[in-house]
Amino acid sequence: MKIAIVHDWLVTFAGAEKVLAGLLDIWPDADLYAVIDFLSDEDRAQLGGKRANTTFIQQLPKARTHYQKYLPLMPLAIEQLDMSRYDLVISSSHAVAKGVLTGPNQLHISYVHSPIRYAWDLQHQYLHEASLDRGLKAKLARMLLHYMRLWDQRTASGVDEFIANSHFIGRRINKSYRRQSTVIYPPVDTRHFTLHTAKEDFYLTASRMVPYKRIPMIVDAFARMPDKKLVVIGTGPDMEKAKELAAPNVTLMGYQSFPVLLHHMQRARAFVFAAEEDFGIAPIEAQACGTPVIAYGRGGVLETVRGLEHPEPTGVFYGEQTPESLIAAVSEFESCAHHISPAHCRASAERFSTERFRQEIKSFIDNRVREVSMLQGQDVPLDLPVVSPVVSSPVYPTAAPLKHA
């Protein structure tokens, strides 16, 4: 079989790229495509050194640093990628990758990290954070996002099977596309985040300092708790805001190497998380180290962290992204910490191992390829049940008949 793997863009190596690396590990001979590819040599090594076939946006001015400004051109760009010679197309999509054009004799399976966040339910949040609440630019941005929603919904009918990275995203797929999806959690490298049972008297948060991560909020909360130490690892646009809110009990370390991150994650009393993530890898890495998690109780973290109501809890949730809510959660954690064991945290994290991802997604795609092969020569469209390695999200009628070879 000829296989193509399509990714949105390759600029940094983050959670979506870890999924891409897992796909390329399973199908190393697949051809790779992306809107742009500006990965560093170090990051490219994690993709087996593979370089993507790119679109015309790769050659546009400042495409490396300001690629987001070319979003209006990305639907056109992704549709120009020629998939006609491939039997199987796997898209890894949080923006436009799922919009590649495929024919009735091709199988297109899309692993969705999220429908385009800033075009759907998070539109108002993104516009507010970009200071686009009013004015001509705000009106133009809303028009663009309206166009992106129409395009995104239309291209969903070109996907034969959706895989969601969490049940949370499965519900978002159903809301946006009215399509069924199967949940296969992303791979987490639990082998390198090893168990360490001895904890020290400090809390840790580690993240890119972008607005939705709410790092300044975490810093503000701990500044109000001078008897508790907080270590912050990471850098980004919100660093200056975090510095302004920091108190003597808060240590801002900036970017750190993996050994330094691992050292702190293994020894922290708890890992603090404030984002509403589609999945969220960092809380699982913390649990793999035997470290409990104090997390904002929305999004994928509800599937990866076990709250105090669980027989084997691994963390505590709080209900609002405010310093007051986080302070209350820290207090609750300290009164209940004896119920949370490092061994239970480690066992929880192992549910999301790289080996599990490899087995589940290969089984899912192999089964779909086998089903399509059995339909060769038939003229009547059939909608076969999916052989799912995990519980799928609630079933909705598919938007289009299943393509078959």
Side-chain angles (χ1 to χ4, degrees):
M1 280 193 13
K2 295 179 180 178
I3 302 174
I5 298 178
V6 185
H7 196 65
D8 290 303
W9 48 73
L10 291 167
V11 179
T12 60
F13 196 88
E17 287 68 40
K18 291 179 181 179
V19 171
L20 177 62
L23 295 173
L24 289 170
D25 184 51
I26 301 170
W27 295 284
D29 294 329
D31 292 333
L32 177 61
Y33 290 83
V35 172
I36 57 173
D37 182 355
F38 292 109
L39 277 184
S40 67
D41 291 340
E42 180 182 357
D43 288 338
R44 193 177 306 284
Q46 300 184 71
L47 300 180
K50 194 176 288 286
R51 187 174 296 275
N53 300 285
T54 57
T55 70
F56 65 86
I57 294 178
Q58 179 85 9
Q59 308 302 325
L60 295 181
K62 297 184 178 180
R64 178 191 295 268
T65 55
H66 294 84
Y67 60 93
Q68 300 96 330
K69 294 183 178 180
Y70 291 116
L71 181 64
L73 297 177
M74 288 186 184
L76 172 63
I78 206 73
E79 290 176 352
Q80 303 313 303
L81 295 176
D82 184 3
M83 299 285 109
S84 60
R85 67 179 182 274
Y86 297 102
D87 304 297
L88 171 64
V89 176
I90 304 171
S91 58
S92 166
S93 183
H94 60 79
V96 299
K98 79 166 194 9
V100 290
L101 302 178
T102 55
N105 295 322
Q106 296 172 288
L107 179 63
H108 179 189
I109 297 177
S110 186
Y111 189 99
V112 176
H113 308 277
S114 176
I116 308 176
R117 301 176 185 89
Y118 30 86
W120 291 97
D121 55 309
L122 298 181
Q123 170 188 291
H124 301 291
Q125 175 183 327
Y126 274 85
L127 290 175
H128 176 71
E129 291 173 353
S131 300
L132 290 171
D133 298 296
R134 57 180 59 87
L136 179 59
K137 286 186 177 180
K139 292 179 180 179
L140 291 174
R142 292 175 191 277
M143 289 175 60
L144 166 63
L145 295 177
H146 175 72
Y147 156 70
M148 292 297 297
R149 274 193 298 277
L150 294 176
W151 177 84
D152 192 37
Q153 190 172 55
R154 177 183 62 77
T155 57
S157 63
V159 176
D160 297 301
E161 296 290 344
F162 280 103
I163 301 174
N165 74 350
S166 65
H167 290 282
F168 175 66
I169 292 303
R171 293 191 295 273
R172 189 174 278 170
I173 290 171
N174 287 330
K175 192 78 171 181
S176 302
Y177 309 144
R178 308 308 290 176
R179 291 289 302 275
Q180 177 185 359
S181 61
T182 298
V183 174
I184 299 179
Y185 292 116
V188 181
D189 189 5
T190 55
R191 293 172 300 176
H192 287 91
F193 289 88
T194 51
L195 177 64
H196 188 84
T197 57
K199 303 302 178 183
E200 299 177 13
D201 190 24
F202 70 91
Y203 292 83
L204 172 70
T205 188
S207 172
R208 291 177 295 124
M209 288 196 186
V210 292
Y212 85 96
K213 297 285 189 178
R214 300 290 196 274
I215 301 301
M217 186 278 290
I218 298 175
V219 171
D220 188 13
F222 276 85
R224 303 184 194 186
M225 298 183 286
D227 59 323
K228 305 184 194 318
K229 298 178 182 177
L230 174 69
V231 174
V232 182
I233 294 178
T235 189
D238 275 356
M239 173 61 94
E240 291 304 315
K241 190 180 297 184
K243 287 180 178 178
E244 292 174 3
L245 295 168
N249 63 314
V250 176
T251 302
L252 299 172
M253 297 184 66
Y255 172 80
Q256 297 294 324
S257 65
F258 175 76
V260 174
L261 171 65
L262 177 62
H263 176 88
H264 285 81
M265 197 167 275
Q266 288 177 324
R267 290 161 176 79
R269 188 171 186 183
F271 183 82
V272 184
F273 194 69
E276 180 181 342
E277 287 278 18
D278 307 326
F279 176 66
I281 290 179
I284 302 171
E285 293 171 341
Q287 291 175 87
C289 296
T291 301
V293 177
I294 302 173
Y296 173 52
R298 290 283 297 273
V301 74
L302 292 174
E303 302 171 42
T304 62
V305 176
R306 292 167 169 166
L308 293 174
E309 74 284 350
H310 193 277
E312 297 179 352
T314 64
V316 171
F317 297 116
Y318 55 98
E320 298 178 359
Q321 290 172 310
T322 63
E324 294 78 12
S325 186
L326 176 53
I327 289 170
V330 171
S331 176
E332 182 181 22
F333 167 76
E334 293 194 342
S335 65
C336 301
H338 58 283
H339 293 301
I340 303 175
S341 77
H344 290 162
C345 291
R346 175 69 191 184
S348 175
E350 287 175 346
R351 296 179 292 150
F352 308 98
S353 69
T354 301
E355 292 75 14
R356 181 269 329 158
F357 171 81
R358 179 187 179 98
Q359 179 182 358
E360 288 184 0
I361 200 162
K362 188 174 188 305
S363 173
F364 178 88
I365 292 179
D366 284 351
N367 284 333
R368 287 302 295 117
V369 169
R370 190 176 301 112
E371 290 170 358
V372 170
S373 297
M374 291 173 61
L375 295 175
Q376 282 188 328
Q378 297 186 25
D379 294 325
V380 180
L382 297 178
D383 194 359
L384 294 176
V386 175
V387 181
S388 172
V390 294
V391 178
S392 64
S393 55
V395 176
Y396 289 86
T398 51
L402 177 66
K403 296 186 183 73
H404 58 280

